Amino acid sequence: MIIKKAVYVKGAAKYEQCIVSDLPQIAVAGKSNVGKSSFINYLVNDGKLARTSKLPGRTRLINYFLINEGCADELLLADLPGYGFAKVSDAEKIKWADLLEKYLAREKQLKHVFFLVDIRHDPTADDVTMYNYLFKNNVPYTIVATKADKISKSQIKNRLRSIANYLKVGEGNLIAVSSTNKTGKEAVLDRIEKVLAAAAFKQTDE
């Protein structure tokens, strides 16, 4: 797949504000400061599309991006609120969690989730909670291990194996990505292409 065009559409602070569309949706999920915005910008080859910040907890909305408008592979990319950020009120945490859960449970056009974790560390308790939710609710996912440039190339395979073992998943469902070293993009785009093809086939079959 080649991403030819990507534009920001809108942000939704509550589920009722989410986009209603027949377009397939792919979501990006992960804890605060795991690199979701950098991942999206790298994926679409636009360093300014998704706002990045050194301060965690900036993504408080579901931010929608329209990819390849008017093309056969047109889709909506949904950047979900980051979780696990301690320096917000309990009420704010509940609000984010409610938005996140409603989207994942109710969005009928959600075809896949790219679940981001930091390759340098084993998944956090919040990461495990997110993974368990995706697994138990049969939400298709790929684990993206970000910040692969922060470790040596020789460590990458061992870290992927460690994360896979921790979450009890196959190593084939993990992709190491670095927006700095420009690695992993082709594998992610290939996964998106396969997701869209499967979704189109299912729709035709129905």
Side-chain angles (χ1 to χ4, degrees):
M1 178 183 180
I2 299 174
I3 294 181
K4 299 173 280 292
K5 184 180 179 182
V7 295
Y8 173 76
V9 182
K10 66 173 287 186
K14 51 187 179 180
Y15 180 73
E16 292 73 21
Q17 297 172 345
C18 287
I19 290 178
V20 178
S21 169
D22 291 332
L23 289 176
Q25 293 189 29
I26 291 177
V28 179
K31 66 183 179 181
S32 296
N33 213 30
V34 74
K36 291 191 289 94
S37 296
S38 295
F39 170 72
I40 291 170
N41 289 341
Y42 173 44
L43 203 60
V44 303
N45 199 32
D46 183 343
K48 297 181 180 179
L49 184 66
R51 292 183 178 181
T52 59
S53 174
K54 293 182 179 179
L55 298 175
R58 178 156 185 167
T59 306
R60 305 184 181 194
L61 312 171
I62 294 178
N63 288 308
Y64 289 94
F65 304 93
L66 181 60
I67 308 297
N68 288 351
E69 182 179 6
C71 301
D73 53 2
E74 185 177 7
L75 67 102
L76 283 169
L77 189 66
D79 181 14
L80 305 183
Y83 55 80
F85 181 49
K87 295 182 180 179
V88 294
S89 67
D90 288 341
E92 191 75 8
K93 288 180 185 178
I94 292 170
K95 180 181 175 183
W96 294 356
D98 181 67
L99 175 61
L100 195 61
E101 186 169 349
K102 283 180 178 176
Y103 173 83
L104 291 172
R106 300 181 186 179
E107 180 50 68
K108 294 180 180 179
Q109 293 302 320
L110 178 62
K111 306 303 180 185
H112 204 79
V113 173
F114 285 111
F115 171 37
L116 274 55
V117 298
D118 189 326
I119 197 170
R120 299 171 296 177
H121 313 292
D122 285 336
T124 65
D126 289 318
D127 288 330
V128 173
T129 297
M130 171 59 76
Y131 169 73
N132 287 338
Y133 181 91
L134 296 174
F135 180 77
K136 290 177 181 177
N137 289 279
N138 296 313
V139 180
Y141 67 90
T142 298
I143 299 171
V144 174
T146 63
K147 307 187 180 184
D149 54 286
K150 302 293 186 182
I151 60 176
S152 66
K153 289 183 179 179
S154 61
Q155 288 180 295
I156 290 176
K157 184 172 284 188
N158 287 337
R159 287 303 309 147
L160 291 178
R161 184 178 297 116
S162 178
I163 293 168
N165 289 339
Y166 196 95
L167 294 175
K168 297 180 175 59
V169 299
E171 288 181 51
N173 208 32
L174 279 82
I175 299 173
V177 170
S178 167
S179 57
T180 300
N181 289 349
K182 309 299 182 188
T183 56
K185 181 196 281 191
E186 292 305 318
V188 173
L189 292 176
D190 183 59
R191 188 64 54 94
I192 294 175
E193 186 173 339
K194 290 177 179 176
V195 167
L196 294 179
F201 177 80
K202 185 178 180 181
Q203 189 174 25
T204 303
D205 195 45
E206 291 174 349

